Amino acid sequence: MRRCLISANWKMHGTVASVQDYLEKLLERLGADHPEVVFCPPFTLLPTALLIASGSDVAVGAQNCHWETKGAFTGEVAPAMLAELGVRWVIVGHSERRQHFGETDASAAARARAAQGAGLSVIYCLGETLEQRDAGETFAVLERQSAALAGLDPALLAVAYEPVWAIGTGRNATPAQAQEAHAALRRRAGELLGEAAARELRILYGGSVKPDNAAALLAQPDVDGALVGGASLDVEGFCAIIHAAPGSRRGA
Ligand code: PGA
């Protein structure tokens, strides 16, 4: 059975004071019955987030990690460095990394394997561009990008379907478009990870998730959560998205 997972991706936003204030409010408002929540601030804010979230059931995640355990990689952070802090999750292969920082399917796969090797759970991001969707290539792109899942441990994995045209644009995929892509990804995960693991795999939707569209997206049978960018910066909005998630577990 799959427990809904709602993750905040703060991207390159926030200060020590704002994380502190936000997490205190988030913990106050969360209530007892809620989906799994993962908060992913920039690297510099991880210690503050971990301190405030410690003892709560909000997990803290990073937004990237390197594929090597150590070495001459100026500016990079190794997975074990994150794990040592108490970080439990890491976002890998986000489209902004692919678009602006040369991330490829191969480098994203290497990062994900290394992260899992250090005991971190991975939110593995994939999704098509508008050109690819318009050219009818969506499912071919998802098939190619998801090949990386074959080398991963399903127990430390969630997948995020994030159509690039929906990220930060205010234009979300419709619930039907999301469901169609998620169902295809679950079938693909079945081939790559086995049917049992695919039934347990959380597939999150990301791309302009807002308080007013979250419930319809999360009501889809194969949408098991959300990776929320812009709308996660506002604690009220993020709480509204969390509370729009179906309370019960779902799946086979
Ligand atoms: P958005 O970002 O919610 O601002 O569209 C989502 C993401 O990039 O993960």
Side-chain angles (χ1 to χ4, degrees):
M1 299 293 270
R2 305 189 295 272
R3 184 180 178 206
C4 194
L5 192 167
I6 308 288
S7 179
N9 173 13
W10 265 27
K11 307 192 180 185
M12 199 168 73
H13 293 284
T15 60
V16 169
S18 68
V19 164
Q20 201 164 344
D21 181 57
Y22 178 95
L23 279 179
E24 280 166 5
K25 289 187 175 134
L26 180 66
L27 295 179
E28 247 172 56
R29 276 155 226 216
L30 212 47
D33 183 26
H34 57 79
E36 190 168 350
V37 177
V38 180
F39 176 68
C40 305
F43 287 126
T44 56
L45 302 178
L46 290 169
T48 309
L50 285 158
L51 192 69
I52 298 174
S54 110
S56 80
D57 49 10
V58 170
V60 174
Q63 298 173 17
N64 188 26
C65 67
H66 199 253
W67 53 80
E68 292 290 348
T69 53
K70 62 181 173 184
F73 301 104
T74 303
E76 292 292 326
V77 175
M81 296 171 174
L82 299 170
E84 184 187 27
L85 284 182
V87 168
R88 301 230 331 266
W89 286 84
V90 61
I91 298 170
V92 171
H94 191 279
S95 70
E96 286 153 14
R97 307 265 351 141
R98 295 177 190 259
Q99 219 174 324
H100 305 302
F101 302 101
E103 186 84 278
T104 62
D105 292 335
S107 62
R111 289 181 208 279
R113 281 194 299 271
Q116 290 192 336
L120 299 172
S121 292
V122 168
I123 298 178
Y124 195 85
C125 301
L126 34 74
E128 80 287 359
T129 64
L130 188 57
E131 295 68 38
Q132 290 164 334
R133 176 161 281 264
D134 288 346
E137 293 168 0
T138 297
F139 296 99
V141 169
L142 297 184
E143 186 166 332
R144 190 194 76 223
Q145 292 179 334
S146 60
L149 304 186
L152 297 179
D153 175 357
L156 295 175
L157 181 66
V159 171
Y161 169 61
E162 298 207 302
V164 178
W165 48 271
I167 296 178
T169 59
R171 178 183 165 192
N172 62 287
T174 64
Q177 284 171 325
Q179 170 56 27
E180 189 186 27
H182 284 227
L185 284 167
R186 196 175 309 284
R187 280 193 297 276
R188 177 80 169 133
E191 294 161 17
L192 297 168
L193 301 169
E195 294 302 328
R199 274 197 298 276
E200 295 293 327
L201 179 69
R202 268 107 44 105
I203 306 180
L204 320 182
Y205 168 79
S208 297
V209 175
K210 308 278 180 225
D212 63 357
N213 61 25
L217 287 160
L218 293 167
Q220 298 301 308
D222 286 293
V223 178
D224 307 312
L227 181 55
V228 187
S232 75
L233 293 169
D234 168 50
V235 73
E236 306 294 342
F238 189 54
C239 285
I241 292 168
I242 291 170
H243 291 130
S248 57
R249 290 161 192 255
R250 52 171 52 171

